[in-house]
Amino acid sequence: MWCSPGGWMRWMPWHGLWGPWGGLVTLAVLGLVVWLAVRAFRRGRPAPGAATCPACGGAVEPVFFRCPRCGHTLKTHCPGCSRVVETDWIYCPYCGHEAAGRTSSQPSTREGGTS
């Protein structure tokens, strides 16, 4: 009695919906509903790892020089080598030049220079 497909299938609540495929269809529909709910919940939030503007908190791309919402300067050019550097960096990682408009908390000592 319990070995035949009819015996255990009649106790399944989704058996009468769409025949033997009712369970798979029900799981697919529930999965779609959960996916849509998670997608709607995450909408409007910046993606993990996405940069935000330090001034206004708006989402910015890593290549932006200015925030499109408030105009805050995010990147500038190094006065020594003209490569792109972040505005909050004290030194250029490429040439070691001190960033324009920044004063370091430690005195600048270079090899071969006078102190």
Side-chain angles (χ1 to χ4, degrees):
M1 174 178 195
W2 292 103
C3 295
S4 66
W8 60 270
M9 288 278 265
R10 69 177 166 203
W11 297 105
M12 303 261 177
W14 53 76
H15 175 65
L17 294 177
W18 297 289
W21 297 101
L24 291 176
V25 172
T26 303
L27 287 176
V29 169
L30 287 175
L32 178 66
V33 168
V34 168
W35 178 75
L36 288 173
V38 168
R39 186 175 157 211
F41 179 72
R42 288 188 177 178
R43 186 174 296 187
R45 291 185 176 185
T52 58
C53 175
C56 69
V60 293
E61 296 288 327
V63 296
F64 287 174
F65 274 77
R66 290 184 162 266
C67 175
R69 297 176 92 188
C70 67
H72 178 73
T73 303
L74 302 170
K75 296 183 183 197
T76 186
H77 290 282
C78 171
C81 65
S82 298
R83 293 182 86 168
V84 177
V85 294
E86 302 283 332
T87 55
D88 59 344
W89 291 354
I90 297 173
Y91 294 100
C92 175
Y94 307 107
C95 70
H97 194 273
E98 193 167 343
R102 301 285 293 196
T103 58
S104 66
S105 59
Q106 299 179 1
S108 175
T109 57
R110 296 192 180 209
E111 292 180 24
T114 59
S115 303

